[in-house]
Amino acid sequence: MVGKKSELTIITKAKELTDYIFAATESSPKKYRYTFTARLQNKSLEVVETLYAANDVYIGGGESSKRYERRLDLQHKALTDLKVIDYLSFVASERGCLLKRQYEHLSELISNCSNLLGAWINSDKKRFASRT
């Protein structure tokens, strides 16, 4: 059996966020299915996709500054998408699409993802600054 390749913690936590969003919105009222539910689900999938893309950008070697900027752009896009998820989940809870405890748990997951993503950005900044 081949060992499972470890992922960045931020990617693992973003997947947990996505899983929870799908579970929490499963029983959402039908009238919100194509507004809040679909937007939350799609946006959470975009976060995971963007994090994978950012992680695949190698920032060493020649032209590293261009690749670093590309990676930073992707990281900031994921951060923005997390903010949008936070807003959508707030509005969804206000409209009764999410229960209060679901919104609270979502907020906690979003906060954890945002903090981990910020730490990754800072780590990359330090690593890139030491190379130049």
Side-chain angles (χ1 to χ4, degrees):
M1 183 173 181
V2 178
K4 184 179 177 185
K5 185 178 176 184
S6 66
E7 286 186 320
L8 284 175
T9 305
I10 178 61
I11 292 175
T12 303
K13 293 298 182 182
K15 286 179 176 181
E16 288 174 15
L17 172 66
T18 300
D19 288 343
Y20 188 75
I21 286 173
F22 273 82
T25 57
E26 196 171 89
S27 61
S28 294
K30 189 174 183 176
K31 65 181 179 180
Y32 296 123
R33 208 164 284 154
Y34 297 104
T35 52
F36 299 122
T37 303
R39 297 275 318 262
L40 282 166
Q41 291 172 348
N42 290 335
K43 198 55 83 170
S44 68
L45 290 169
E46 283 180 36
V47 168
V48 174
E49 181 181 352
T50 304
L51 291 173
Y52 272 128
N55 193 40
D56 283 346
V57 176
Y58 176 67
I59 59 174
E63 294 189 17
S64 59
S65 62
K66 286 182 183 179
R67 287 195 301 272
Y68 170 70
E69 289 298 322
R70 170 75 177 134
R71 182 161 160 159
L72 189 61
D73 286 345
L74 289 166
Q75 289 168 328
H76 280 133
K77 181 190 179 323
L79 200 55
T80 300
D81 287 345
L82 286 169
K83 291 175 184 176
V84 171
I85 291 170
D86 191 32
Y87 172 71
L88 287 171
S89 62
F90 169 75
V91 175
S93 72
E94 292 289 308
R95 299 285 182 245
C97 185
L98 292 173
L99 301 173
K100 182 177 175 164
R101 66 177 169 77
Q102 290 174 321
Y103 170 67
E104 289 171 355
H105 188 65
L106 264 177
S107 293
E108 187 178 308
L109 292 171
I110 293 164
S111 178
N112 288 341
C113 286
S114 297
N115 290 338
L116 286 168
L117 185 51
W120 184 24
I121 291 169
N122 288 335
S123 172
D124 279 356
K125 281 181 185 178
K126 289 177 187 172
R127 196 169 357 146
F128 188 75
S130 69
R131 291 182 184 185
T132 57

